[in-house]
Coordinates of all heavy atoms in Angstrom, one line a residue:
S1 N 38.3 7.8 -10.4 CA 37.1 7.0 -10.4 C 36.5 6.9 -9.0 O 37.3 7.1 -8.0 CB 37.4 5.6 -10.9 OG 38.2 4.9 -10.1
W2 N 35.2 6.6 -8.8 CA 34.6 6.5 -7.5 C 35.1 5.2 -6.9 O 35.2 4.2 -7.5 CB 33.1 6.5 -7.6 CG 32.5 7.8 -8.1 CD1 32.3 8.3 -9.3 CD2 32.2 8.9 -7.1 NE1 31.8 9.5 -9.3 CE2 31.7 10.0 -7.9 CE3 32.3 9.1 -5.8 CZ2 31.3 11.1 -7.3 CZ3 31.8 10.2 -5.2 CH2 31.3 11.3 -6.0
Q3 N 35.3 5.3 -5.6 CA 35.6 4.1 -4.8 C 34.8 4.2 -3.5 O 34.5 5.3 -3.0 CB 37.1 4.2 -4.4 CG 38.0 4.1 -5.6 CD 39.5 4.1 -5.2 OE1 39.9 4.0 -4.1 NE2 40.3 4.3 -6.2
G4 N 34.4 3.0 -3.1 CA 33.8 2.9 -1.7 C 34.7 3.2 -0.6 O 35.9 3.1 -0.7
G5 N 34.2 3.4 0.5 CA 35.0 3.8 1.7 C 34.3 3.1 3.0 O 33.2 2.6 2.9
K6 N 35.1 3.1 4.0 CA 34.6 2.5 5.3 C 33.5 3.3 5.9 O 32.7 2.8 6.7 CB 35.7 2.3 6.3 CG 36.8 1.4 5.9 CD 37.9 1.4 6.8 CE 39.1 0.6 6.4 NZ 40.3 0.7 7.3
G7 N 33.5 4.6 5.7 CA 32.5 5.5 6.3 C 32.8 5.9 7.8 O 31.9 6.3 8.5
Q8 N 34.0 5.8 8.2 CA 34.4 6.1 9.5 C 35.6 7.0 9.5 O 36.4 7.0 8.6 CB 34.7 4.9 10.4 CG 33.4 4.1 10.7 CD 33.6 3.1 11.8 OE1 34.7 2.7 12.2 NE2 32.6 2.7 12.4
G9 N 35.8 7.8 10.6 CA 36.9 8.7 10.7 C 36.9 9.4 12.1 O 36.2 8.9 13.0
D10 N 37.7 10.4 12.2 CA 37.9 11.2 13.4 C 37.6 12.6 13.1 O 37.9 13.1 12.1 CB 39.4 11.1 13.9 CG 39.8 9.7 14.2 OD1 39.0 9.0 15.0 OD2 40.8 9.2 13.7
I11 N 37.0 13.3 14.1 CA 36.7 14.8 13.9 C 38.1 15.5 14.0 O 38.8 15.3 15.0 CB 35.8 15.3 15.1 CG1 34.4 14.6 14.9 CG2 35.8 16.8 15.0 CD1 33.4 15.0 16.0
Y12 N 38.4 16.2 13.0 CA 39.7 16.9 12.9 C 39.5 18.4 13.5 O 40.4 18.9 14.1 CB 40.2 17.0 11.5 CG 41.4 17.8 11.2 CD1 42.7 17.3 11.6 CD2 41.4 19.0 10.7 CE1 43.9 18.0 11.4 CE2 42.5 19.8 10.5 CZ 43.7 19.2 10.8 OH 44.8 20.0 10.7
S13 N 38.4 19.0 13.1 CA 38.1 20.4 13.6 C 36.6 20.4 13.7 O 35.9 19.7 13.1 CB 38.6 21.5 12.7 OG 38.0 21.4 11.5
L14 N 36.1 21.3 14.6 CA 34.6 21.3 14.9 C 34.2 22.7 15.4 O 34.9 23.4 16.1 CB 34.4 20.3 16.1 CG 33.1 20.3 16.7 CD1 32.1 19.6 15.9 CD2 33.2 19.4 18.1
T15 N 33.0 23.1 15.0 CA 32.4 24.3 15.5 C 30.9 24.0 15.6 O 30.3 23.3 14.8 CB 32.6 25.6 14.6 OG1 32.1 26.7 15.3 CG2 32.0 25.4 13.3
V16 N 30.3 24.5 16.7 CA 28.8 24.4 16.8 C 28.2 25.7 16.6 O 28.6 26.8 17.2 CB 28.5 23.9 18.3 CG1 27.0 23.9 18.5 CG2 29.1 22.6 18.5
M17 N 27.3 25.8 15.6 CA 26.6 27.0 15.2 C 25.3 27.2 16.1 O 24.4 26.5 15.9 CB 26.2 27.0 13.7 CG 27.5 26.6 12.9 SD 28.8 27.8 13.0 CE 28.2 29.1 12.2
R18 N 25.4 28.0 17.1 CA 24.3 28.2 18.0 C 23.4 29.3 17.7 O 22.3 29.5 18.3 CB 24.9 28.4 19.5 CG 25.7 27.2 19.9 CD 26.2 27.4 21.3 NE 27.2 26.4 21.7 CZ 26.9 25.2 22.0 NH1 25.6 24.8 22.1 NH2 27.9 24.3 22.3
R19 N 23.8 30.2 16.8 CA 22.9 31.3 16.5 C 21.8 31.0 15.4 O 21.0 31.8 15.1 CB 23.7 32.5 16.0 CG 24.5 33.0 17.1 CD 25.2 34.3 16.7 NE 25.2 35.3 17.8 CZ 25.4 36.5 17.7 NH1 26.0 36.9 16.5 NH2 25.3 37.4 18.7
A20 N 21.9 29.7 14.9 CA 20.8 29.3 13.9 C 19.6 28.9 14.7 O 19.6 28.7 15.9 CB 21.4 28.1 13.2
K21 N 18.4 28.9 14.0 CA 17.2 28.5 14.6 C 17.3 27.2 15.3 O 16.8 27.0 16.4 CB 16.0 28.4 13.5 CG 15.5 29.8 13.2 CD 14.3 29.7 12.3 CE 13.7 31.0 12.1 NZ 12.5 30.9 11.2
V22 N 17.9 26.2 14.6 CA 18.2 24.9 15.2 C 19.8 24.8 15.1 O 20.4 24.7 14.1 CB 17.6 23.9 14.3 CG1 18.0 22.5 14.9 CG2 16.0 24.0 14.2
P23 N 20.4 24.8 16.3 CA 21.8 24.6 16.4 C 22.3 23.4 15.6 O 21.7 22.4 15.6 CB 22.2 24.5 17.9 CG 21.0 25.2 18.5 CD 19.8 24.8 17.7
Y24 N 23.6 23.5 15.1 CA 24.1 22.3 14.3 C 25.6 22.4 14.5 O 26.2 23.4 14.8 CB 23.7 22.3 12.9 CG 24.1 23.5 12.1 CD1 25.4 23.5 11.3 CD2 23.4 24.7 12.1 CE1 25.8 24.5 10.6 CE2 23.8 25.8 11.3 CZ 25.0 25.8 10.6 OH 25.4 26.8 9.9
A25 N 26.3 21.2 14.2 CA 27.7 21.1 14.3 C 28.3 21.0 12.9 O 27.8 20.1 12.1 CB 28.0 19.9 15.2
L26 N 29.3 21.7 12.6 CA 30.0 21.7 11.4 C 31.4 21.2 11.7 O 32.1 21.7 12.6 CB 30.0 23.1 10.7 CG 30.6 23.2 9.3 CD1 29.9 22.3 8.3 CD2 30.7 24.6 8.9
A27 N 31.9 20.2 10.9 CA 33.2 19.7 11.2 C 33.9 19.3 10.0 O 33.4 19.0 9.0 CB 33.0 18.4 12.1
C28 N 35.3 19.2 10.2 CA 36.1 18.5 9.1 C 36.4 17.1 9.7 O 36.8 17.1 10.9 CB 37.4 19.3 8.9 SG 37.2 20.8 8.0
V29 N 36.1 16.1 9.0 CA 36.3 14.7 9.4 C 37.4 14.1 8.6 O 37.3 14.1 7.4 CB 35.0 13.9 9.3 CG1 35.3 12.4 9.5 CG2 33.9 14.5 10.2
K30 N 38.5 13.6 9.3 CA 39.6 12.9 8.6 C 39.1 11.4 8.5 O 39.0 10.7 9.4 CB 40.8 13.1 9.5 CG 42.0 12.2 8.9 CD 42.7 12.8 7.7 CE 43.9 12.1 7.4 NZ 44.0 11.6 6.1
L31 N 38.8 11.1 7.2 CA 38.3 9.7 7.0 C 39.5 8.7 7.1 O 40.6 9.0 6.8 CB 37.7 9.6 5.6 CG 36.5 10.5 5.4 CD1 36.1 10.4 4.0 CD2 35.4 10.1 6.3
D32 N 39.1 7.4 7.5 CA 40.1 6.4 7.7 C 40.8 6.0 6.3 O 41.9 5.6 6.3 CB 39.5 5.1 8.3 CG 39.1 5.2 9.7 OD1 39.5 6.2 10.4 OD2 38.2 4.4 10.1
D33 N 40.0 6.3 5.2 CA 40.5 6.0 3.9 C 41.4 7.1 3.3 O 41.8 7.0 2.2 CB 39.3 5.9 3.0 CG 38.3 4.8 3.5 OD1 38.8 3.7 3.7 OD2 37.1 5.1 3.6
G34 N 41.6 8.2 4.1 CA 42.6 9.2 3.7 C 42.1 10.6 3.6 O 42.7 11.5 4.1
P35 N 41.0 10.9 2.8 CA 40.6 12.2 2.6 C 40.0 12.9 3.9 O 39.6 12.2 4.8 CB 39.5 12.1 1.5 CG 39.6 10.8 0.9 CD 40.3 9.9 2.0
T36 N 40.0 14.2 3.8 CA 39.3 15.0 4.9 C 38.1 15.7 4.2 O 38.3 16.2 3.1 CB 40.2 16.0 5.5 OG1 41.4 15.3 6.1 CG2 39.5 16.8 6.6
M37 N 36.9 15.6 4.9 CA 35.8 16.3 4.3 C 35.1 17.1 5.3 O 35.1 16.8 6.5 CB 34.8 15.2 3.7 CG 34.1 14.3 4.7 SD 33.0 13.1 3.9 CE 31.7 14.2 3.3
M38 N 34.5 18.3 4.8 CA 33.7 19.1 5.6 C 32.3 18.5 5.6 O 31.8 18.2 4.6 CB 33.7 20.5 5.1 CG 32.9 21.5 6.1 SD 33.1 23.2 5.6 CE 34.7 23.6 6.1
T39 N 31.6 18.5 6.8 CA 30.3 17.9 6.9 C 29.6 18.4 8.1 O 30.2 19.1 9.0 CB 30.5 16.3 7.0 OG1 29.2 15.7 7.0 CG2 31.3 15.9 8.2
N40 N 28.4 17.9 8.3 CA 27.6 18.2 9.6 C 27.8 16.9 10.4 O 27.8 15.8 9.9 CB 26.1 18.4 9.3 CG 25.9 19.8 8.7 OD1 26.0 20.0 7.5 ND2 25.7 20.7 9.5
V41 N 27.8 17.1 11.7 CA 27.8 16.0 12.7 C 26.5 16.1 13.4 O 26.2 17.2 14.0 CB 29.1 16.1 13.6 CG1 28.9 14.9 14.6 CG2 30.3 16.0 12.9
V42 N 25.7 15.1 13.3 CA 24.4 15.0 14.1 C 24.6 14.2 15.3 O 25.2 13.2 15.4 CB 23.3 14.4 13.2 CG1 23.0 15.3 12.0 CG2 23.7 13.1 12.6
A43 N 24.1 14.8 16.4 CA 24.2 14.2 17.8 C 23.1 14.8 18.6 O 22.6 15.9 18.5 CB 25.6 14.5 18.4
D44 N 22.7 14.0 19.6 CA 21.7 14.5 20.6 C 22.2 15.6 21.4 O 21.5 16.5 21.8 CB 21.2 13.3 21.4 CG 20.4 12.3 20.7 OD1 19.7 12.6 19.6 OD2 20.3 11.1 21.1
D45 N 23.5 15.5 21.8 CA 24.1 16.5 22.6 C 25.4 17.1 21.9 O 26.3 16.4 21.9 CB 24.6 15.9 24.0 CG 25.2 16.8 24.9 OD1 25.2 18.0 24.6 OD2 25.7 16.4 25.9
L46 N 25.2 18.2 21.3 CA 26.2 18.9 20.5 C 27.5 19.2 21.4 O 28.6 19.2 21.0 CB 25.8 20.0 19.7 CG 24.7 19.8 18.7 CD1 24.2 21.1 18.1 CD2 25.2 18.9 17.7
D47 N 27.2 19.4 22.7 CA 28.3 19.7 23.6 C 29.2 18.5 23.9 O 30.3 18.7 24.4 CB 27.7 20.3 24.9 CG 27.1 21.7 24.7 OD1 27.6 22.4 23.8 OD2 26.2 22.0 25.4
S48 N 28.7 17.4 23.6 CA 29.5 16.1 23.8 C 30.5 15.9 22.8 O 31.3 15.0 22.8 CB 28.5 14.9 24.0 OG 28.0 14.5 22.8
L49 N 30.4 16.6 21.6 CA 31.3 16.3 20.4 C 32.7 16.9 20.8 O 32.8 18.0 21.5 CB 30.8 17.0 19.2 CG 29.4 16.5 18.8 CD1 28.9 17.3 17.6 CD2 29.5 15.0 18.3
A50 N 33.8 16.3 20.3 CA 35.1 16.7 20.6 C 36.0 16.4 19.5 O 35.8 15.4 18.7 CB 35.6 16.0 21.9
I51 N 37.1 17.2 19.3 CA 38.1 16.9 18.3 C 38.8 15.5 18.7 O 39.0 15.2 19.9 CB 39.2 18.0 18.3 CG1 38.5 19.2 17.7 CG2 40.3 17.6 17.6 CD1 39.3 20.5 17.7
G52 N 38.9 14.7 17.6 CA 39.5 13.4 17.9 C 38.5 12.3 18.1 O 38.8 11.1 18.0
Q53 N 37.2 12.7 18.2 CA 36.1 11.7 18.5 C 35.9 10.9 17.1 O 35.9 11.4 16.1 CB 34.9 12.4 18.9 CG 33.7 11.6 19.3 CD 32.6 12.3 19.9 OE1 32.5 13.6 19.8 NE2 31.7 11.7 20.4
R54 N 35.6 9.6 17.3 CA 35.3 8.7 16.2 C 33.9 9.0 15.8 O 32.9 9.1 16.7 CB 35.4 7.2 16.7 CG 36.8 6.7 17.0 CD 37.7 6.7 15.8 NE 37.2 5.7 14.8 CZ 37.7 5.6 13.6 NH1 38.5 6.4 13.1 NH2 37.2 4.6 12.8
V55 N 33.7 9.0 14.5 CA 32.4 9.2 13.9 C 32.2 8.2 12.7 O 33.2 7.7 12.2 CB 32.2 10.7 13.4 CG1 32.1 11.6 14.5 CG2 33.3 11.1 12.5
Q56 N 30.9 8.1 12.4 CA 30.6 7.2 11.2 C 29.5 7.8 10.4 O 28.8 8.7 10.9 CB 30.1 5.8 11.8 CG 28.8 5.8 12.5 CD 28.4 4.6 13.2 OE1 29.3 3.7 13.3 NE2 27.2 4.4 13.6
V57 N 29.5 7.5 9.1 CA 28.6 8.1 8.2 C 27.2 7.7 8.4 O 26.9 6.5 8.7 CB 29.1 7.9 6.7 CG1 28.8 6.4 6.3 CG2 28.4 8.8 5.7
V58 N 26.2 8.6 8.2 CA 24.9 8.3 8.0 C 24.4 9.2 6.9 O 25.1 10.2 6.5 CB 24.1 8.7 9.3 CG1 24.4 7.8 10.5 CG2 24.2 10.2 9.7
Y59 N 23.3 8.9 6.3 CA 22.8 9.7 5.2 C 21.5 10.4 5.4 O 20.6 9.8 5.9 CB 22.6 8.7 3.9 CG 24.0 8.3 3.4 CD1 24.5 7.0 3.9 CD2 24.8 9.0 2.6 CE1 25.7 6.6 3.5 CE2 26.1 8.5 2.2 CZ 26.5 7.3 2.7 OH 27.7 6.9 2.3
G60 N 21.5 11.7 5.2 CA 20.3 12.5 5.4 C 19.7 12.8 4.0 O 20.3 12.7 2.9
D61 N 18.4 13.1 4.1 CA 17.7 13.4 2.8 C 17.8 14.9 2.4 O 17.8 15.8 3.4 CB 16.1 13.1 3.0 CG 15.9 11.6 3.2 OD1 16.6 10.8 2.6 OD2 15.1 11.3 4.1
T62 N 17.9 15.2 1.2 CA 17.9 16.6 0.7 C 16.5 16.9 0.3 O 15.7 16.1 0.0 CB 18.9 16.7 -0.4 OG1 18.5 16.0 -1.6 CG2 20.3 16.4 -0.1
A63 N 16.2 18.3 0.1 CA 14.9 18.7 -0.4 C 14.5 18.2 -1.7 O 13.3 18.0 -2.0 CB 14.9 20.2 -0.4
D64 N 15.5 17.8 -2.6 CA 15.2 17.3 -3.9 C 15.1 15.9 -4.0 O 15.1 15.3 -5.1 CB 16.1 17.9 -5.0 CG 17.6 17.5 -4.7 OD1 17.8 16.8 -3.7 OD2 18.4 17.9 -5.5
G65 N 15.2 15.2 -2.9 CA 15.0 13.7 -2.8 C 16.3 13.0 -2.9 O 16.4 11.8 -2.9
G66 N 17.4 13.7 -2.9 CA 18.7 13.0 -2.9 C 19.2 12.7 -1.5 O 18.5 12.8 -0.5
K67 N 20.4 12.3 -1.4 CA 21.0 11.9 -0.1 C 22.4 12.7 0.1 O 23.0 13.0 -0.9 CB 21.4 10.4 0.0 CG 20.2 9.5 -0.1 CD 19.4 9.5 1.2 CE 18.3 8.4 1.1 NZ 17.5 8.5 2.3
V68 N 22.6 13.0 1.3 CA 23.9 13.7 1.7 C 24.6 13.0 2.9 O 23.8 12.6 3.8 CB 23.6 15.2 2.0 CG1 22.6 15.4 3.2 CG2 24.8 16.0 2.2
P69 N 25.9 12.9 2.7 CA 26.6 12.2 3.9 C 26.7 13.1 5.1 O 27.1 14.2 4.9 CB 27.9 11.8 3.3 CG 28.1 12.8 2.2 CD 26.8 13.2 1.7
L70 N 26.3 12.6 6.2 CA 26.5 13.3 7.5 C 27.2 12.4 8.4 O 27.4 11.2 8.1 CB 25.1 13.6 8.1 CG 24.1 14.4 7.3 CD1 22.7 14.4 7.9 CD2 24.6 15.8 7.0
F71 N 27.7 12.8 9.5 CA 28.4 11.9 10.5 C 27.8 11.9 11.8 O 27.2 13.0 12.2 CB 29.9 12.2 10.5 CG 30.6 11.8 9.3 CD1 30.6 12.5 8.1 CD2 31.3 10.6 9.3 CE1 31.2 12.0 7.0 CE2 32.0 10.1 8.2 CZ 31.9 10.9 7.0
T72 N 27.9 10.9 12.6 CA 27.4 10.8 13.9 C 28.4 10.0 14.8 O 29.2 9.2 14.2 CB 26.0 10.0 14.0 OG1 25.4 10.2 15.2 CG2 26.1 8.6 13.5
P73 N 28.5 10.3 16.1 CA 29.5 9.7 16.9 C 29.2 8.1 16.9 O 28.1 7.6 16.7 CB 29.1 10.2 18.3 CG 28.5 11.5 18.1 CD 27.7 11.3 16.8
V74 N 30.4 7.4 16.9 CA 30.4 5.9 17.0 C 29.8 5.5 18.4 O 30.2 6.1 19.4 CB 31.7 5.4 16.8 CG1 31.8 3.9 17.0 CG2 32.3 5.7 15.4
E75 N 28.8 4.6 18.4 CA 28.2 4.2 19.6 C 29.3 3.7 20.6 O 30.2 3.1 20.2 CB 27.2 3.1 19.3 CG 25.9 3.6 18.8 CD 24.8 2.5 18.8 OE1 24.8 1.7 19.7 OE2 24.0 2.6 17.9
G76 N 29.0 4.0 21.9 CA 29.9 3.6 22.8 C 31.1 4.5 23.2 O 31.9 4.2 24.0
Q77 N 31.1 5.6 22.4 CA 32.2 6.5 22.6 C 31.6 7.9 22.8 O 30.6 8.3 22.2 CB 33.2 6.6 21.3 CG 33.9 5.3 21.1 CD 34.9 5.4 20.1 OE1 35.1 6.6 19.5 NE2 35.4 4.3 19.7
A78 N 32.1 8.7 23.8 CA 31.6 10.0 24.1 C 32.1 11.0 23.1 O 33.1 10.8 22.4 CB 32.0 10.4 25.5

């Protein structure tokens, strides 16, 4: 069954895709609630992202009007 979560975790692995028209970060995030998920990490400075960094969920819009979970660094942490 579906269960709510805290929406926070740590970056477990990370790669920055620089050959795309718009560079983006792809990561596996180990959630505080247990699971690990592959996701995009959105940040102003992709070079500031690091393994072990704390992140929190944000929701982005999809082309069909849905929502997709993304992660962003927790404020106050590099």
Side-chain angles (χ1 to χ4, degrees):
S1 66
W2 287 95
Q3 297 179 11
K6 296 177 188 175
Q8 290 194 343
D10 300 306
I11 295 176
Y12 176 79
S13 66
L14 171 73
T15 188
V16 177
M17 308 302 287
R18 297 185 191 282
R19 293 186 134 186
K21 281 187 178 183
V22 178
Y24 63 94
L26 184 63
C28 287
V29 172
K30 173 77 170 128
L31 300 173
D32 292 346
D33 302 310
T36 299
M37 67 181 290
M38 184 174 284
T39 184
N40 286 87
V41 178
V42 292
D44 292 333
D45 180 10
L46 297 178
D47 292 327
S48 70
L49 298 174
I51 291 173
Q53 185 172 13
R54 294 290 295 164
V55 290
Q56 63 189 17
V57 73
V58 294
Y59 292 93
D61 297 321
T62 63
D64 63 358
K67 298 284 185 185
V68 62
L70 308 169
F71 285 79
T72 190
V74 172
E75 282 192 37
Q77 295 186 5

